[in-house]
Amino acid sequence: MVNCASFNISLVELKMSWNPDEFGFDTRAVHAGQTPDPGNGAVVTPIVLSSTFVHSEPGVHKGYDYSRCGNPTRASYESCVANLEGARFGFANASGTMGVTTIMHLLESGDHVVAGDDMYAGMYRLFEQVFKKNGICFDYVDMSDSERLEAAMRPETRLVWMETPTNPLMKMVDIRAVADISHAHGALLAVDNTFMSPVFQQPLALGADLVMHSTTKYINGHSDVIGGVIITDDEELAERLEFMANAVGGSQSIFDSYLCLRSLKTLGIRMRAHESNAKALAKHLENHSGVERVFYPGLKSHPQHDLAQKQMSGMGGMISIFLKGKNGGMASMEEVIRMVQAVKVFTLAESLGGVESLVSHPSTMTHLSMAKDVQLSLGITENLIRLSVGIENVEDIIHDIDQALGSIGG
Ligand code: P1T
């Protein structure tokens, strides 16, 4: 977002010109925030790499001054991604973690945050090892239990932080219910919408104040950018975030902002392809002899399938499975290693949301920074693996997991 009031007005205008009531999601994903270049007619938004912009006299410029505070390429991307979440204001960050860092800087020493207990472990590390030192207090609760959330709220609670579905256990949290509790206690609700993207879930419409994405995942979708974005429709919050983005200095690079803008154009078709493949794989694995349990919100067997159907318009591309060992009990670590090394279409790697299928082992990879006893108390056992289902041919995806499970005798 640009650090000048006149640009806010143009963002409002852009939102109105790409009104969701008038245009569908995929149309807005291709066009919102973008107009042909008035100078040369270029249809595709130019990559303006300039770090600085001319002043005609001190303090007078064409809306851009210095690219940490605002840049035309990044502004196009921010207004497009904000539009897709049904909002006016977007702030692109150097990473998802930088997005959360920027939000956390809105808080002051003595403030209290309630966060979900099952979430990307990097957030847990950021809260416990960085922001706790700044005097901010954190409590972690199972957000799917309203009574526990209610009990954790304090007079000094300023922010509720949640993911849904959660990483890695795919638990659903009722955004509307958490928003009501947060607001009744005077706290803001921020939702990490990374797993679903705005294609399948729109937290602001369900009462959230802030949405954050690790755009490293589905929004960029090609595993070649690290990025984050914060979105809000609240003008006062947007002003504070604009100040903080500039003051903290974590804005996304211009080139990466361009890649994310380009990727938004295919977000809808990619998400539907991820979902279609994940649905087929999850169904296939549900009755597989090598699998103890499958967690995918689109399966009727998911304990919160009804909430998933109510809250999301699609079920996404992430699946978590607990592997069964050859002896019929939990797969051993050795069996798990054999399975994740046997994949050919999937790649054993951290991250998710790219066009290529990835498998990861939360307890030793994405959630390693979480103490073992905390992992176990949440249910992150050694036989849990997480699948980010890509857009390859579905029969290749299913066959690959089948043959990998075969390597442990499943
Ligand atoms: O990696 P970064 O762009 O900083 O985003 C952090 C982040 C935030 N929120 C969620 C839900 C995430 O999953 C992540 C990053 N997650 C992984 C790298 C992973 O493999 O789960």
Side-chain angles (χ1 to χ4, degrees), residues 56-308:
S56 56
E57 60 181 83
V60 179
H61 51 77
K62 294 187 169 186
Y64 298 100
D65 175 20
Y66 184 63
S67 279
R68 170 162 37 78
C69 337
N71 171 282
T73 309
R74 193 167 59 226
S76 279
Y77 162 55
E78 289 171 334
S79 77
C80 186
V81 71
N83 180 299
L84 298 180
E85 286 281 5
R88 290 172 291 170
F89 310 108
F91 303 87
N93 315 111
S95 66
T97 305
M98 190 64 220
V100 186
T101 299
T102 307
I103 293 172
M104 286 298 151
H105 275 298
L106 298 177
L107 304 181
E108 285 174 17
S109 177
D111 287 350
H112 176 244
V113 176
V114 180
D117 58 358
D118 182 37
M119 61 178 176
Y120 173 57
M123 296 306 122
Y124 186 71
R125 179 177 55 204
L126 180 68
F127 296 166
E128 287 298 298
Q129 295 182 38
V130 179
F131 280 99
K132 229 177 183 172
K133 281 195 291 199
N134 295 355
I136 297 169
C137 312
F138 296 88
D139 272 310
Y140 305 92
V141 296
D142 179 348
M143 293 267 174
S144 59
D145 184 335
S146 298
E147 279 176 24
R148 284 197 200 175
L149 173 59
E150 187 75 60
M153 300 297 288
R154 300 190 205 156
E156 62 275 20
T157 308
R158 296 281 169 272
L159 181 72
V160 174
W161 183 267
M162 61 170 274
E163 287 178 11
T164 181
T166 61
N167 183 0
L169 292 168
M170 304 300 292
K171 275 197 220 163
M172 301 291 309
V173 179
D174 187 330
I175 298 173
R176 173 80 66 196
V178 175
D180 288 347
I181 294 173
S182 306
H183 296 157
H185 291 267
L188 295 171
L189 171 63
V191 177
D192 182 334
N193 200 22
T194 299
F195 268 36
M196 281 299 122
S197 90
V199 176
F200 291 145
Q201 184 166 268
Q202 307 245 324
L204 297 177
L206 297 170
D209 303 285
L210 292 158
V211 164
M212 170 266 163
H213 289 270
S214 166
T215 56
T216 313
K217 313 301 188 288
Y218 288 108
I219 287 192
N220 181 62
H222 295 73
S223 305
D224 52 8
V225 161
I226 296 286
V229 70
I230 309 166
I231 295 157
T232 184
D233 201 44
D234 180 312
E235 254 177 84
E236 194 234 310
L237 256 181
E239 260 175 44
R240 290 170 63 205
L241 284 165
E242 182 172 34
F243 168 80
M244 213 43 91
N246 185 25
V248 174
S251 304
Q252 189 168 36
S253 83
I254 306 314
F255 190 73
D256 287 355
S257 299
Y258 173 77
L259 287 176
C260 289
L261 176 66
R262 186 173 71 157
S263 293
L264 283 180
K265 295 175 197 291
T266 56
L267 183 62
I269 55 174
R270 281 188 285 111
M271 289 310 293
R272 291 189 285 277
H274 285 293
E275 183 197 32
S276 160
N277 286 351
K279 258 188 188 161
L281 180 62
K283 268 200 185 127
H284 177 78
L285 292 176
E286 211 174 12
N287 301 311
H288 199 291
S289 58
V291 175
E292 258 184 359
R293 190 88 205 261
V294 181
F295 285 96
Y296 179 67
L299 291 178
K300 285 208 180 80
S301 59
H302 189 289
Q304 295 156 297
H305 178 63
D306 290 348
L307 174 58

Side-chain angles (χ1 to χ4, degrees), residues 33-46 48 62 64 72 76:
Q34 298 149 82
T35 45
D37 187 290
N40 58 26
V43 170
V44 173
T45 303
V48 179
K62 294 187 169 186
Y64 298 100
S76 279

